[in-house]
Amino acid sequence: MAGLSLQGVGKTYSGNVDAVTGVEIEIADGEFIVLVGPSGCGKSTLLRMVAGLETVTRGEIRIGDRVVNRLDPADRDIAMVFQNYALYPHMSVRDNMAYGLKNRGESRAVIDERVAEAARMLELGPYLDRKPRALSGGQRQRVAMGRAIVRQPAAFLFDEPLSNLDAKLRVSMRGEIRRLQRRLGTTSLYVTHDQLEAMTLADRLVVLNGGRVEQIGAPLEVYRSPASTFVAGFIGSPAMNLLDARVEGGRVVLEDQAIGGAELPEGPVTLGLRPEDLRLVQAGGLALRLDYVEELGAQRILHGFVGGQPLSVAEAGAAPLSDVVRVAVREDRLHLFETRSGHRIERAGLAAMEPAE
Amino acid sequence: MTRGSGPRARAPRCNQNSGTQVTDTPMTTLETERTLLARLRAWYSAEDANPTKRVQFDRPLTPWLFVLPQLAVVAIFFYWPSVQAVTSSFYIEDPFGFGSTFVGMENYGDAVTSSQYRDTALFTAFFCVVVTALSLGLGLLLAVKADKVIRGTETYKTLLISVYAIAPPVAGLMGMMFFDMHMGPIKDLFALFGHDLRVGIDYWDTAIALITISVWKQIPYNFIFFLSGLQSVPVPVREAALIDARSGWRRFRDVILPLLAPTAFFLLIINITYTMFDTFPIIDVIVKDKPANNPMTLVYKVYLDGFKGNDIGGSSAQSVILMVVVAALTVLQFRFLERRVHYG
Ligand SMILES: Nc1ncnc2c1ncn2[C@@H]1O[C@H](COP(=O)(O)OP(=O)(O)OP(=O)(O)O)[C@@H](O)[C@H]1O
Ligand SMILES: [Mg+2]
């Protein structure tokens, strides 16, 4: 077991496609890191560089204290779980798990013991002699996990391992992966584009955008103080409302309505409001012209407009709604971003003032 | 056998292959005929039980009309010659065509006891093994090398298979030129090693030429099948193997090769058929009108004895034996090899 360190890692594909640029991540031993970002942002590329399936154009990757840039995948002491499982179709479940160990010259006894142990952990016992094609998707996924576990590697690498499963199974496998990782304490690097999966699994999230790291942090930290409008829009569901506002005379003004104080120079600013931070109020606050309502059971999501800008509100109530409702937000839940760069403006800039209700 | 007989059926093969079907000639007693007719009529007038499956023809006989030309071809070029072959294998034909005498199994006896026949059979077996092994092996080797370079590029594949577009007689002719006694480059090549290559005169020199040309002709076919087989091995599976095994040879042996097995099995049958039958034109070009004792396959001997030697009965007997052997071989392959083949 070992930590993982990526220093200035970059990848340029043929044809000058910059897929990954200047990635710096230090991963502690036993940490569960989730790489998250929209499609094409370079998550898989980064993971595959760690695995050795893709050459590293720039920078240095260390597993433990070894620089692995030029090592064969088999020599890196990692195990990978692929999106479509990538099981060997002609081998039984047992052989699928044992194959890597056999090639490393482990003794028969060690192999048998580890396979049995993994099969017990993953409840694969009854299927050990079956071929992968005779298994369900979830079972195949578990075999792929088993194949990774038996190697007892320095690090697990997962590339969207759950995206081929149905929603319900995905949730239960998510829990299973998290439990297993805790129990084994193996450093893990996990790729997903599903922000919910990312939030629930990660010790720390790495949000990627266009091949660059936007933010690294614990899930709640990223949720509470997203470093940019990109992260703000990506983490959290329903997505954070991002609205054009202005700072005028030390206050944040949205559509002629002051909603909080800010010790900032006058000018445009992007205001971020989480739908779940907004509350319906009887009087005061912002006037929200309702467009439509999504009922989710436990809560409902109100979509509407404030002035000309779309805004959504997540709300637990069931009271009937008029065409125009009034919403308010606690001032300490306001997020401000530079309009030009999208960077977060730190809370220090927000003056502690009375709630704008 | 269905897969063994490729799209490249040629006349000499038709004669041999068909024997199994000969016994299938229906026994047309009145009884069966009447029920058959009744069934046909009932079927003709019956409403289709499953409307979604209803055919697009207003008369059920129309589709048969479309199949008829194919059936006619099969009957004329396949069944009829086979029946002829089996029948005439029991007769000795007068060399000048004035009738024939029934001799029972004598033709068969003559064939199997003839030392010349046994030599040819031995050579055919040897030729079959060597050509199949070499053309499969080299085809696979080239495919593996090409697969590394060209993952997915169509133009290369087309270029590489184009050799296969050369018809066997042309391949034979080209090969003959390469091996030519007076100006062939291969002769010069052998001369470098101090060997005087005399194709068409020296038995083993001729054999070398036959094998080389036959292998050369068949490699592109095997290559293209192996290549597409290799390219259909899923990339993630290769990558999983890359993580599981350091040695490229082990990955190939344990992961790639088993996934290629269906392709290899199919090619094995195709290649055996090829060496047995489709090498005929190559042999013809090389040994035709050469007086010496040259190597040849059983198929060529059938032709030689029958059409050059005018021994129709003997050559028919030989062709029936050959047909039985090939049928047995195919059955054996399917029974014992196919079990070890993993289909997706
Ligand atoms: N072999 C390649 N050659 C050239 N460009 C590539 C290659 N593989 C990926 N790319 C490009 O690199 C970028 C990152 O791709 P990558 O597969 O890492 O995305 P991803 O974040 O995993 O996306 P997804 O969530 O859809 O899997 C993309 O723009 C892609 O087009
Ligand atoms: Mg990906």
Side-chain angles (χ1 to χ4, degrees):
Chain A
M1 255 161 258
L4 219 69
S5 149
L6 282 70
Q7 283 157 5
V9 173
K11 172 77 188 178
T12 308
Y13 282 112
S14 56
N16 277 337
V17 184
D18 276 327
V20 172
T21 327
V23 170
E24 303 268 350
I25 313 176
E26 294 294 331
I27 301 170
D29 186 9
E31 215 176 357
F32 199 121
I33 295 288
V34 176
L35 298 174
V36 66
S39 187
C41 70
K43 309 179 293 288
S44 299
T45 305
L46 192 55
L47 191 78
R48 293 165 54 81
M49 281 194 283
V50 177
L53 300 173
E54 215 70 78
T55 56
V56 181
T57 318
R58 289 173 301 277
E60 203 172 79
I61 297 177
R62 287 166 184 273
I63 298 174
D65 40 21
R66 284 192 306 167
V67 176
V68 296
N69 282 34
R70 303 196 163 276
L71 286 187
D72 271 347
D75 293 333
R76 293 192 179 197
D77 196 18
I78 45 105
M80 185 153 170
V81 180
F82 294 83
Q83 174 172 1
N84 41 20
Y85 324 129
L87 300 176
Y88 307 121
H90 58 290
M91 292 186 197
S92 67
V93 168
R94 186 194 307 280
D95 292 342
N96 259 285
M97 293 204 265
Y99 183 57
L101 296 178
K102 258 182 221 159
N103 286 319
R104 285 203 272 172
E106 299 284 359
S107 74
R108 191 72 244 174
V110 171
I111 296 176
D112 285 347
E113 189 201 306
R114 293 215 199 149
V115 169
E117 167 76 3
R120 202 178 44 72
M121 266 195 263
L122 295 160
E123 291 160 24
L124 284 169
Y127 314 114
L128 278 177
D129 293 312
R130 286 207 203 161
K131 295 274 171 65
R133 68 166 172 276
L135 298 177
S136 74
Q139 290 161 347
R140 283 179 210 184
Q141 184 55 59
R142 287 220 285 275
V143 177
M145 293 279 307
R147 189 167 64 178
I149 290 173
V150 294
R151 295 179 63 105
Q152 305 188 342
F156 288 137
L157 308 175
F158 301 88
D159 193 355
E160 311 206 19
L162 304 182
S163 58
N164 280 2
L165 303 178
D166 69 62
K168 214 170 164 186
L169 200 54
R170 197 148 57 208
V171 173
S172 70
M173 280 301 295
R174 199 165 74 197
E176 200 162 330
I177 288 180
R178 185 66 226 195
R179 266 193 297 113
L180 270 173
Q181 196 270 342
R182 283 261 158 80
R183 190 162 144 197
L184 301 168
T186 309
T187 314
S188 301
L189 198 54
Y190 186 108
V191 162
T192 180
H193 58 250
D194 180 344
Q195 59 92 23
L196 192 64
E197 213 169 282
M199 294 285 290
T200 48
L201 282 173
D203 288 330
R204 278 195 298 159
L205 283 180
V206 177
V207 185
L208 286 172
N209 181 23
R212 293 172 186 281
V213 173
E214 286 271 332
Q215 186 170 9
I216 302 180
L220 269 186
E221 197 181 312
V222 174
Y223 174 81
R224 290 211 180 118
S225 41
S228 64
T229 47
F230 174 82
V231 178
F234 195 79
I235 299 293
S237 170
M240 183 188 279
N241 297 292
L242 293 168
L243 305 146
D244 292 330
R246 296 190 60 79
V247 176
E248 282 171 11
R251 311 190 122 246
V252 182
V253 178
L254 174 66
E255 304 286 339
D256 299 333
Q257 179 90 37
I259 62 162
E263 307 261 304
L264 291 170
E266 310 259 314
V269 72
T270 299
L271 172 65
L273 299 172
R274 291 239 178 248
E276 53 273 31
D277 289 341
L278 292 160
R279 287 172 292 128
L280 294 190
V281 288
Q282 295 304 325
L286 298 160
L288 176 69
R289 193 159 37 80
L290 276 185
D291 186 14
Y292 63 99
V293 175
E294 285 176 308
E295 274 297 349
L296 300 180
Q299 57 169 212
R300 57 183 173 179
I301 300 175
L302 282 42
H303 297 271
F305 294 92
V306 170
Q309 304 190 60
L311 180 81
S312 51
V313 177
E315 201 242 349
L321 298 162
S322 57
D323 281 352
V324 176
V325 296
R326 308 204 68 88
V327 296
V329 61
R330 281 205 1 231
E331 186 168 325
D332 61 344
R333 296 287 170 85
L334 296 183
H335 303 266
L336 292 179
F337 304 93
E338 283 172 23
T339 300
R340 180 110 23 93
S341 64
H343 291 326
R344 179 179 187 80
I345 302 171
E346 269 314 321
R347 286 290 316 269
L350 284 170
M353 283 179 69
E354 77 285 357
E357 279 172 27
Chain B
M1 274 193 115
T2 44
R3 263 189 297 168
S5 51
R8 301 167 297 118
R10 285 188 195 92
R13 195 197 318 182
C14 292
N15 275 337
Q16 330 298 332
N17 257 358
S18 50
T20 36
Q21 280 91 349
V22 171
T23 50
D24 283 353
T25 327
M27 305 201 311
T28 46
T29 64
L30 258 180
E31 172 105 35
T32 53
E33 213 160 69
R34 198 176 302 131
T35 52
L36 245 177
L37 259 179
R39 241 191 286 165
L40 207 65
R41 203 174 295 127
W43 171 67
Y44 188 92
S45 53
E47 273 294 307
D48 201 323
N50 182 355
T52 56
K53 272 194 171 176
R54 194 181 303 228
V55 260
Q56 302 300 311
F57 305 109
D58 12 353
R59 288 156 188 273
L61 280 183
T62 322
W64 291 100
L65 217 60
F66 289 126
V67 185
L68 198 64
Q70 177 66 36
L71 287 179
V73 167
V74 171
I76 293 170
F77 293 103
F78 205 74
Y79 289 109
W80 185 56
S82 322
V83 175
Q84 286 272 308
V86 175
T87 330
S88 52
S89 69
F90 297 113
Y91 291 86
I92 286 184
E93 194 116 355
D94 183 276
F96 303 101
F98 301 122
S100 48
T101 332
F102 183 81
V103 292
M105 299 299 286
E106 199 176 297
N107 284 327
Y108 290 91
D110 287 352
V112 290
T113 50
S114 140
S115 72
Q116 210 190 1
Y117 183 79
R118 256 178 291 155
D119 287 349
T120 310
L122 273 177
F123 178 76
T124 307
F126 167 77
F127 181 72
C128 196
V129 170
V130 170
V131 171
T132 303
L134 279 179
S135 54
L136 279 178
L138 291 173
L140 180 58
L141 186 73
L142 291 173
V144 168
K145 293 297 169 202
D147 178 57
K148 290 217 173 87
V149 190
I150 57 164
R151 296 212 121 252
T153 319
E154 279 303 321
T155 35
Y156 280 107
K157 278 193 240 173
T158 319
L159 275 177
L160 286 164
I161 201 183
S162 57
V163 186
Y164 189 70
I166 302 168
V170 181
L173 267 177
M174 289 170 73
M176 193 62 222
M177 283 180 196
F178 280 124
F179 281 98
D180 190 274
M181 294 248 287
H182 305 292
M183 50 176 227
I186 308 249
K187 184 180 166 63
D188 297 341
L189 185 74
F190 273 83
L192 276 182
F193 296 98
H195 181 76
D196 183 24
L197 195 71
R198 294 177 309 157
V199 174
I201 293 170
D202 182 85
Y203 187 90
W204 285 108
D205 286 355
T206 314
I208 287 172
L210 286 183
I211 288 169
T212 312
I213 300 169
S214 304
V215 169
W216 174 65
K217 175 72 181 58
Q218 189 64 3
I219 284 175
Y221 187 84
N222 296 339
F223 167 81
I224 210 72
F225 272 88
F226 275 133
L227 186 61
S228 68
L230 281 169
Q231 301 217 322
S232 63
V233 174
V235 176
V237 171
R238 286 168 182 268
E239 291 178 343
L242 215 55
I243 292 173
D244 271 344
R246 178 177 309 122
S247 134
W249 160 245
R250 281 203 169 186
R251 290 196 296 270
F252 181 72
R253 186 195 62 191
D254 298 338
V255 178
I256 310 289
L257 211 54
L259 296 180
L260 270 187
T263 310
F265 178 64
F266 162 77
L267 283 178
L268 181 69
I269 291 175
I270 291 283
N271 276 266
I272 289 176
T273 319
Y274 164 79
T275 48
M276 296 281 256
F277 302 110
D278 291 355
T279 48
F280 181 94
I282 297 172
I283 301 169
D284 193 45
V285 169
I286 301 277
V287 308
K288 185 162 64 181
D289 306 325
K290 302 282 190 320
N293 167 31
N294 276 319
M296 64 183 68
T297 59
L298 287 172
V299 172
Y300 197 75
K301 189 167 157 54
V302 167
Y303 160 79
L304 213 59
D305 289 359
F307 294 92
K308 292 283 154 74
N310 267 338
D311 177 14
I312 299 292
S315 100
S316 295
Q318 288 177 28
S319 77
V320 172
I321 296 172
L322 188 60
M323 175 268 300
V324 171
V325 169
V326 169
L329 211 64
T330 312
V331 169
L332 277 181
Q333 283 174 333
F334 269 94
R335 284 202 73 129
F336 296 105
L337 264 182
E338 200 190 18
R339 269 194 221 149
R340 313 186 51 134
V341 171
H342 165 86
Y343 293 100

